[in-house]
Amino acid sequence: GDREFEPLPVPADLDAELRPYQLTGYSWLGFLRQAGLGACLADDMGLGKTLQTLALLTHDREQGRLDAPALVVCPTSVVSNWRREAERFAPKLRCLVHQGPNRLRAEEFVREVGRTDLVVTSYALLRQDAEPLGSVQWHAVILDEAQNIKNPGAKQSRLACELSAGFRVALTGTPVENRLGELWSIMRFLNPGYLGSRRDFRRRFALPIECEDDEEAAGRLRRLTSPLVLRRLKTDPGVIRDLPEKWESKEYCNL
């Protein structure tokens, strides 16, 4: 629907130019947070979901609102990318990477977290270190590649839902990969109870839409979820205008 929200000011400490659609995305995250709702930023790959999220955390730090650290949970292969982007775009955020055999344990971890603005860890460690991660009251919990919790019965999906967070964000280019139940699982993390129980959801939405192509049920589900999901594609006219010309470079590598 029509999203009426004020654009937030670009944080002075953000070391990046925000493209107009990124400014919209970052302001939208802030708007839903104000409303007490969890948000799913579902932009296409490469449109800067990490940057839009870092912009909100930097804004919070400038406003003196970052009274506890934010937690990012992402695939193991993406952890170092978050660290690099945080160092580059949000150099004022004190970032702790919680990964590897030498990571901090138990009380040591909790002590260090008190001196940190952003903790980045992986889904694997969400399972292994459930206790220390679960003992912190986080400013925000951000799931990157949130399709990692698409199976509601999986241990990491349950643990993600149990983390205590001031607000919740799911980042994913594919909110629904195969089945509508995946959307229910992400929504349960963001806004528990919003789409009813898993059984209700199957009865009211998943079965009618997937098995009977029920247009009316699909429309109902769209109306319920569209205010909480922001998805822009590279091909959208507004986004295309904001993007620079394509650069092509050839990189040769040995086989």
Side-chain angles (χ1 to χ4, degrees):
D2 244 13
R3 300 200 175 89
E4 288 303 319
F5 57 88
E6 293 293 302
L8 290 175
V10 178
D13 290 338
L14 192 72
D15 251 2
E17 289 279 321
L18 288 183
R19 303 189 181 282
Y21 76 87
Q22 291 173 331
L23 180 64
T24 301
Y26 140 66
S27 304
W28 176 81
L29 287 173
F31 169 72
L32 278 195
R33 186 260 301 275
Q34 281 305 108
L37 293 164
C40 177
L41 182 57
D43 286 348
D44 231 351
M45 228 176 100
L47 292 184
K49 296 187 283 290
T50 306
L51 175 58
Q52 293 170 73
T53 309
L54 289 169
L56 184 63
L57 296 178
T58 304
H59 168 77
D60 287 354
R61 188 175 188 278
E62 284 181 5
Q63 302 283 313
R65 295 180 61 165
L66 207 56
D67 40 1
L71 175 69
V72 168
V73 185
C74 59
T76 305
S77 58
V78 187
V79 170
S80 56
N81 186 55
W82 268 92
R83 193 196 61 230
R84 271 200 310 276
E85 299 223 344
E87 284 169 359
R88 181 174 159 203
F89 298 131
K92 294 268 170 79
L93 288 180
R94 297 166 301 176
C95 183
L96 170 68
V97 171
H98 184 65
Q99 197 186 33
N102 300 326
R103 66 186 184 276
L104 298 176
R105 314 281 168 159
E107 297 84 53
E108 232 190 325
F109 171 73
V110 175
R111 246 199 329 275
E112 190 56 36
V113 160
R115 298 193 281 266
T116 303
D117 299 315
L118 176 64
V119 174
V120 183
T121 194
S122 65
Y123 287 101
L125 287 182
L126 177 59
R127 295 192 302 273
Q128 282 180 41
D129 291 6
E131 213 165 298
L133 291 168
S135 70
V136 178
Q137 171 67 55
W138 302 100
H139 172 72
V141 171
I142 297 139
L143 299 188
D144 190 13
E145 306 278 357
Q147 66 278 12
N148 277 279
I149 62 155
K150 68 184 183 184
N151 174 359
K155 186 177 176 187
Q156 66 191 23
S157 306
R158 199 186 68 247
L159 291 170
C161 292
E162 287 169 4
L163 291 168
S164 104
F167 68 102
R168 292 162 180 247
V169 176
L171 307 175
T172 173
T174 49
V176 179
E177 284 184 319
N178 302 307
R179 315 184 67 85
L180 281 175
E182 301 166 6
L183 179 65
W184 181 85
S185 192
I186 289 174
M187 275 297 159
R188 175 185 66 165
F189 164 74
L190 291 173
N191 301 293
Y194 182 72
L195 290 179
S197 73
R198 193 176 173 189
R199 181 187 280 152
D200 271 354
F201 180 81
R202 276 182 65 74
R203 186 176 51 80
R204 293 178 56 208
F205 297 111
L207 292 174
I209 295 168
E210 289 175 349
C211 303
E212 294 148 35
D213 286 333
D214 183 332
E215 281 298 319
E216 192 268 334
R220 249 188 5 245
L221 182 59
R222 252 197 310 279
R223 280 193 299 280
L224 273 173
T225 54
S226 65
L228 306 173
V229 180
L230 182 58
R231 177 150 176 76
R232 279 87 52 94
L233 305 173
K234 292 189 185 85
T235 48
D236 292 347
V239 172
I240 282 276
R241 273 199 310 274
D242 291 347
L243 292 176
E245 287 301 303
K246 185 160 100 172
W247 284 60
E248 289 193 16
S249 64
K250 289 185 176 153
E251 300 282 342
Y252 295 100
C253 59
N254 296 325
L255 290 176

